[in-house]
């Protein structure tokens, strides 16, 4: 079954790069949705069922950690894996993401293989 | 600025820039000799900057020519942006802003080991000619130049102790110290 994926990042450049990486991954990618911040992501998640979320941490309006907490506290969304893709590399941020229920934490700069390997390990 | 802080900034910026160039741009950036300046000597081209705040506060900035901005965006997004001022479009500016975010963010991660946690603002990018940049405060900027193909990329960072450090998160309480026996 193709995976529908939501990319959440305020940088259009990163969204474009991740789109390209997903199309090259060894998983069957279906629809890829994009959102520029956490609030926009929640709106998208209300309209579309996705199998995976890739989210930045530092974003306007609602950051990635707040988005992660919202997803994990929503009974309908809680099972959707969320991978954080961010410049924030401190141990405290990694631990915070893990405690909130993130399925992975990838630090920018990332290689295409890191993204592909992480997704392959989840599906 | 204390010499050891300048050295730490130069090392952190060089390591972060090298990692970004090798991982996401597949290009070489050769660091030149770093120096300090009171006022950022940037008046043309593409400039992206990011605020830093914590016990130490300041700004990180990257600057380059429009031609190099197009070249970096081409590598980053795997799309051909021909050099020239007309080609410095929104996608090129967004790519430079994100590169600044990753370079300054990774340098910040390395400096946090020494200076404590710092938060980062969202990047701002400017493209133009004949502008002047100023920063409030008396501190110096550490400038690390990089040679990238035939062009020059400059990474600037200015950091000073915060007079009244802002809490990193509203309501955050630092853990109490416990004496271990």
């Amino acid at each position: 079954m193709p995976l529908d994926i939501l990319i959440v990042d305020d940088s259009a450049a990163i969204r474009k790069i991740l789109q390209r990486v997903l199309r090259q991954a060894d998983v069957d990618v279906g629809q890829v949705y994009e959102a520029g911040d956490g609030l926009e992501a929640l709106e998208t998640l209300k309209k579309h069922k996705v199998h995976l979320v890739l989210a930045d941490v530092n974003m306007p309006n609602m950051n990635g950690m707040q988005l992660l907490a919202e997803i994990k506290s929503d009974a309908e969304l809680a099972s959707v894996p969320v991978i954080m893709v961010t410049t924030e590399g401190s141990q405290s941020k990694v631990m915070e993401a893990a405690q909130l229920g993130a399925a992975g934490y990838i630090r920018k700069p990332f290689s295409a293989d890191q993204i592909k390997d992480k997704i392959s390990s989840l599906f | 600025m204390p010499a050891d802080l300048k050295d730490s900034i130069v090392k952190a910026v060089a390591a972060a820039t090298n990692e970004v160039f090798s991982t996401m741009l597949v290009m070489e950036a050769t660091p030149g000799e770093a120096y300090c300046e009171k006022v950022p000597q940037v008046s043309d081209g593409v400039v992206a900057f990011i605020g830093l705040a914590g016990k130490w506060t300041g700004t990180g900035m990257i600057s380059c020519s429009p031609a190099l901005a197009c070249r970096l965006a081409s590598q980053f997004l795997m799309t051909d942006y021909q050099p020239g001022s007309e080609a410095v479009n929104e996608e090129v500016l967004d790519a430079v802003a994100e590169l600044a975010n990753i370079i300054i963010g990774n340098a910040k991660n390395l400096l946090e080991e020494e200076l404590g946690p710092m938060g980062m603002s969202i990047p701002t990018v400017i493209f133009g000619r004949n502008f002047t940049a100023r920063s409030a405060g008396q501190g110096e900027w550490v400038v690390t130049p990089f040679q990238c193909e035939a062009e020059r990329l400059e990474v600037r960072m200015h950091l000073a102790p915060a007079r009244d450090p802002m809490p990193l998160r509203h309501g955050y309480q630092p853990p109490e110290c416990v004496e271990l026996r």
Side-chain angles (χ1 to χ4, degrees):
Chain A
M1 182 181 63
L3 295 178
D4 293 337
I5 299 174
L6 171 62
I7 300 170
V8 193
D9 200 304
D10 56 329
S11 164
I14 289 293
R15 297 199 302 268
K16 188 172 179 176
I17 290 167
L18 285 172
Q19 280 254 18
R20 192 181 61 241
V21 170
L22 290 173
R23 299 290 174 201
Q24 297 167 347
D26 295 331
V27 287
D28 186 7
V29 176
Q31 189 73 43
V32 178
Y33 302 99
E34 293 186 19
D37 61 45
L39 285 180
E40 212 180 300
L42 287 177
E43 287 298 313
T44 305
L45 290 169
K46 280 180 198 166
K47 292 180 203 156
H48 306 284
K49 187 173 161 50
V50 303
H51 302 94
L52 173 67
V53 176
L54 300 175
D56 187 16
V57 170
N58 286 330
M59 292 183 290
N61 302 320
M62 179 188 281
N63 69 38
M65 293 297 182
Q66 292 167 322
L67 171 65
L68 176 59
E70 289 284 335
I71 289 173
K72 294 302 164 187
S73 64
D74 183 315
E76 284 187 21
L77 297 174
S79 63
V80 177
V82 181
I83 299 173
M84 312 310 289
V85 184
T86 176
T87 305
E88 287 288 352
S90 66
Q91 198 57 30
S92 61
K93 284 283 181 195
V94 178
M95 283 177 65
E96 186 184 350
Q99 283 167 358
L100 287 170
Y105 198 100
I106 296 172
R107 197 173 57 81
K108 298 175 188 172
F110 55 77
S111 67
D113 286 344
Q114 280 176 281
I115 302 283
K116 291 178 199 170
D117 291 349
K118 187 66 209 174
I119 294 174
S120 299
S121 75
L122 292 173
F123 298 97
Chain B
M1 174 174 290
D4 54 348
L5 177 58
K6 181 195 163 194
D7 288 347
S8 298
I9 290 175
V10 171
K11 278 183 194 162
V13 164
T17 306
N18 180 51
E19 192 182 359
V20 173
F21 270 70
S22 59
T23 310
M24 297 195 86
L25 297 173
V26 200
M27 290 171 84
E28 263 191 56
T30 309
E33 194 163 336
Y35 56 94
C36 291
E37 63 188 15
K38 289 274 183 196
V39 174
Q41 300 298 313
V42 184
S43 57
D44 286 301
V46 181
V47 182
F49 50 93
I50 295 177
L52 300 165
K55 284 183 182 168
W56 287 72
T57 181
T59 310
M61 178 193 291
I62 74 167
S63 57
C64 65
S65 66
L68 184 56
C70 290
R71 180 81 181 102
L72 296 176
S74 298
Q75 286 295 111
F76 197 43
L77 302 176
M78 296 182 92
T79 304
D80 194 20
Y81 299 100
Q82 290 296 322
S85 58
E86 301 81 16
V88 181
N89 59 20
E90 207 165 309
E91 288 186 0
V92 172
L93 295 178
D94 189 71
V96 174
E98 186 56 26
L99 285 170
N101 184 43
I102 303 176
I103 291 172
I104 301 299
N106 276 273
K108 179 208 76 133
N109 290 341
L110 293 169
L111 288 166
E112 279 179 332
E113 292 168 15
E114 207 175 311
L115 305 179
M118 285 180 276
M120 260 194 344
S121 74
I122 288 161
T124 298
V125 65
I126 293 170
F127 168 47
R129 287 183 187 154
N130 283 333
F131 53 78
T132 309
R134 288 287 183 279
S135 182
Q138 301 295 316
E140 283 186 313
W141 291 80
V142 179
V143 188
T144 312
F146 294 87
Q147 194 68 32
C148 182
E149 298 180 344
E151 297 280 343
R152 184 179 165 102
L153 172 82
E154 292 178 339
V155 182
R156 284 175 169 77
M157 198 173 262
H158 164 258
L159 281 172
R163 276 180 294 185
D164 184 15
M166 295 290 289
L168 287 175
R169 191 179 307 147
H170 185 67
Y172 173 78
Q173 294 292 321
E176 286 178 28
C177 289
V178 177
E179 192 175 331
L180 299 174
R181 294 178 189 274

